[in-house]
């Protein structure tokens, strides 16, 4: 598939999607988001891929939704066309997706990073929800996912002021899993993705689904859901292989089944 605004690459079992609209700091226009969804879906459906990385440029992961595209939208356009509802599809991948963020991750850029399963940040990363400066508010999950990630106080601080937060603060408050030097970001993200992808795919997908369930349900229901998936994994070849390999003091050879 030929894309105009993204680049895609395979590195072993890792699928990499790079936002590539440098002149606009990867501003997330509708066609760009459609391409991202399409590329992630293709990797998600590819049996040879175990983990995906979504990244941008050195200067910007993404500086937000495309302001020039949306500045003249009417309420009827936005509501009637359910503007940006398609973005949610990024969060529906079943395999793990890592956001590798350098530079700006603002507004919709921060929201897309939060749709991924974990964020690895360059020391140059800057996160924020600056929509308040434009007379609007976050619209692609920012008030929800940021609040769950960092708590109400910090989410209010960021969303109501529109200020940016550096990588270190983002790690301290739990938005970011790891910080790495900017020139090592992609390598580190690929290594992390390859490490994840070495595991059995059914167990990765079940674990991802179960962690995400923590955001959707009560503790007792979540723990119940987790236990049922845990039980189900005993039906896999890879459970037998993983546990046999441990007992035999060798590395497991998973077959994703
Ligand atoms: C469209 C954008 C853009 C955006 C940057 N550009 N961000 N175009 N939409 N979100 C364009 C600029 O217009 C400019 O194009 C080029 O990218 C470079 O940007 P500069 O501003 O010249 O760079 P710099 O001075 O380094 O400032 C970087 C910046 C600033 C601080 C990131 O660009 C900025 O504040 N951008 C907007 C950030 C923002 O408000 N994001 C939230 C958007 S709302 P030209 O052609 O002039 O060179 C949003 C809603 C989400 O995301 C909710 C629903 C999806």
């Amino acid at each position: 598939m030929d894309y105009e605004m993204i680049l895609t690459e395979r590195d072993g079992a890792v699928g990499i999607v790079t936002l590539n609209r440098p002149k606009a700091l990867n501003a997330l226009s509708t066609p760009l988001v459609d391409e991202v969804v399409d590329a992630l879906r293709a990797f998600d459906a590819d049996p040879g891929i175990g983990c995906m990385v979504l990244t941008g440029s050195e200067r910007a992961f993404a500086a937000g939704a495309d302001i020039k595209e949306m500045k003249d939208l009417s309420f009827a356009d936005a509501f009637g066309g359910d503007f940006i509802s398609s973005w949610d599809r990024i969060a529906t991948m079943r395999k793990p997706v890592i956001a590798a963020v350098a530079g700006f991750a603002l507004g919709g850029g921060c929201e897309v990073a939060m749709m991924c399963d974990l964020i690895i940040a360059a020391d140059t990363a800057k996160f924020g929800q600056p929509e308040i400066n434009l007379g609007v508010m976050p619209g692609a999950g920012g008030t929800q996912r940021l609040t769950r990630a960092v708590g109400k106080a910090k989410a209010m601080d960021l969303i109501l002021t529109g200020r940016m937060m550096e990588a270190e603060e983002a790690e301290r408050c739990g938005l970011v899993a790891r910080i790495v030097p900017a020139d090592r970001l992609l390598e580190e993200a690929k290594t992390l993705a390859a490490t994840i992808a070495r595991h059995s795919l059914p167990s990765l997908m079940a674990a991802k689904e179960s962690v995400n369930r923590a955001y959707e349900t009560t503790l007792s229901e979540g723990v119940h859901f987790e236990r049922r998936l845990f039980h189900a994994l005993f039906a896999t070849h890879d459970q037998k292989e993983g546990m046999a390999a441990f007992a035999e003091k060798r590395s497991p050879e998973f077959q994703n089944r």
Side-chain angles (χ1 to χ4, degrees):
M1 173 90 187
D2 282 339
Y3 296 115
E4 282 179 28
M5 283 168 277
I6 61 169
L7 305 169
T8 61
E9 180 197 334
R10 296 174 66 108
D11 185 356
V14 177
I16 302 146
V17 178
T18 304
L19 306 177
N20 187 32
R21 229 193 133 194
K23 286 190 186 138
L25 301 184
N26 292 330
L28 299 160
S29 61
T30 303
L32 172 52
V33 172
D34 287 347
E35 288 192 359
V36 170
V37 169
D38 192 78
L40 288 175
R41 277 192 174 160
F43 283 137
D44 207 36
D46 183 332
I49 294 291
C51 187
M52 294 166 270
V53 173
L54 178 61
T55 194
S57 69
E58 246 175 67
R59 216 175 140 211
F61 176 75
D66 189 329
I67 299 168
K68 293 165 193 169
E69 179 188 73
M70 68 184 160
K71 71 182 178 42
D72 296 323
L73 270 189
S74 66
F75 167 75
D77 294 333
F79 181 74
D82 210 4
F83 180 57
I84 57 117
S85 62
S86 65
W87 291 32
D88 274 351
R89 292 177 297 170
I90 295 171
T92 64
M93 302 306 144
R94 299 189 65 206
K95 293 173 185 169
V97 185
I98 297 170
V101 174
F104 300 111
L106 301 177
C110 187
E111 291 171 313
V112 165
M114 292 189 293
M115 288 177 198
C116 300
D117 299 309
L118 64 93
I119 302 176
I120 175 169
D123 47 15
T124 57
K126 288 180 167 49
F127 297 88
Q129 297 289 159
E131 290 90 342
I132 209 81
N133 298 324
L134 300 169
V136 288
M137 59 177 280
T143 63
Q144 305 303 300
R145 290 197 177 91
L146 188 64
T147 306
R148 282 163 163 83
V150 306
K152 178 178 169 180
K154 188 72 85 178
M156 286 288 191
D157 175 359
L158 289 161
I159 291 167
L160 300 183
T161 66
R163 76 174 174 89
M164 291 186 213
M165 154 167 95
E166 308 272 335
E168 217 169 274
E169 184 181 357
E171 188 191 33
R172 217 168 39 237
C173 67
L175 180 63
V176 157
R178 306 179 182 187
I179 303 178
V180 298
D183 60 356
R184 304 238 352 111
L185 177 67
L186 194 56
E187 268 332 289
E188 296 284 348
K190 282 188 195 172
T191 302
L192 174 59
T195 303
I196 291 171
R198 269 198 289 278
H199 298 110
S200 166
L201 203 44
S203 62
L204 284 174
M205 290 163 69
K208 166 174 171 161
E209 196 171 334
S210 194
V211 172
N212 283 331
R213 188 53 71 106
Y215 286 119
E216 306 284 352
T217 192
T218 62
L219 178 62
S220 59
E221 276 305 314
V223 169
H224 181 73
F225 179 81
E226 174 192 82
R227 193 163 53 242
R228 289 291 174 254
L229 285 183
F230 173 70
H231 292 161
L233 290 172
F234 284 81
T236 63
H237 163 276
D238 287 344
Q239 173 270 325
K240 299 289 174 292
E241 169 62 11
M243 294 191 184
F246 175 81
E248 292 160 21
K249 300 188 189 302
R250 61 174 174 83
S251 298
E253 284 184 32
F254 292 128
Q255 295 179 13
N256 294 333
R257 65 185 178 87

